[in-house]
Structure formats: C-alpha cells, structure tokens
Amino acid sequence: IALLTSASPAFSKEVTCNFTSWKGATSEEASISWVGTGFIADAKKARVRKVFNGNKQAWTKVTVKKTNKFTTFVYRTKNEANDKGEKIDRRYGYRVYETGKCNVTFTTQKYTPIIATGRLN
C-alpha cells in the first residue's frame, strides 16, 4: 500500500480561505449570500464548509481533485429551490492554489456565475 504525503497547504490540514472580492451577482451582498465570506476545506476528509462573517456552516462532502498547481473541492446540489421557488441545480467549485490564493466559482444553469477570490490565512 502506497501512502501519499505532501507538505502542500491543501493537504497538510484544514485550510481557511478568506475572500476579498466577489463578482457575478447584482451586488457584493448578493454574491456573499450565495458563497459566503470564505471557506474551510479538508482534503483528507473530502469536505468543505462555508463561512459567513466568522460563522461556520456544517461540513459538506466534496469530490477532491488535485493538480500540480491547485486542489479543487467540488459539490453539486440538484433541484434546490431558490428564493423565487425555482428549482435549480447548483455547482460549487472551491479551489486552493499552492501560491496561497483561493477562490470559489458558483454556477447554475440559469444565472451568471459568482466568483469570489481571496487568500489562505
């Protein structure tokens, strides 16, 4: 059995990303309402949690994909109702770069993607 070990920030332990910019929704507040003010990712346990102004949401199971330059944590929801009662599928793609940058891209089949970027602390 081969064990993979890495000193990279995405695999050493839980990592915390604090967003510094948001784009895609009609306002920064609207973007924050979808993606939060940051996230915590845990590659070993394949999970991520949104953070809203320091308040941590529950962990969500994710698929983890690693490249030489970044690690991506992805989860999808199906047929979830939005505030207008429309059923939409959602995709959240959280990314942690070896450089210390981080972001999330939130996409649906209907709306402009929301992208928040920041840095690991």
Side-chain angles (χ1 to χ4, degrees), residues 37-38 40 49-58:
T37 55
I40 301 169
R49 66 193 326 178
K50 286 184 206 173
V51 177
F52 289 89
N53 297 317
N55 296 319
K56 301 170 188 167
Q57 291 198 323

Side-chain angles (χ1 to χ4, degrees), residues 16-113:
T16 302
C17 173
N18 292 313
F19 299 139
T20 54
S21 69
W22 296 261
K23 62 183 180 181
T26 53
S27 68
E28 188 172 280
E29 291 78 22
S31 294
I32 290 171
S33 74
W34 285 102
V35 299
T37 55
F39 68 90
I40 301 169
D42 183 337
K44 287 185 177 164
K45 295 182 180 175
R47 63 187 187 167
V48 75
R49 66 193 326 178
K50 286 184 206 173
V51 177
F52 289 89
N53 297 317
N55 296 319
K56 301 170 188 167
Q57 291 198 323
W59 288 105
T60 301
K61 285 304 238 176
V62 295
T63 302
V64 180
K65 297 177 181 168
K66 180 144 177 55
T67 72
N68 289 337
K69 295 186 177 176
F70 56 82
T71 302
T72 304
F73 304 81
V74 176
Y75 76 89
R76 298 170 193 274
T77 64
K78 295 274 184 205
N79 290 320
E80 232 177 51
N82 66 9
D83 58 355
K84 297 178 183 136
E86 303 167 307
K87 300 278 190 183
I88 57 173
D89 297 342
R90 301 175 182 157
R91 179 192 181 277
Y92 292 86
Y94 297 90
R95 192 168 279 183
V96 175
Y97 291 86
E98 296 297 321
T99 60
K101 287 192 333 182
C102 50
N103 66 37
V104 63
T105 302
F106 166 73
T107 53
T108 68
Q109 70 271 30
K110 202 169 172 171
Y111 298 105
T112 303

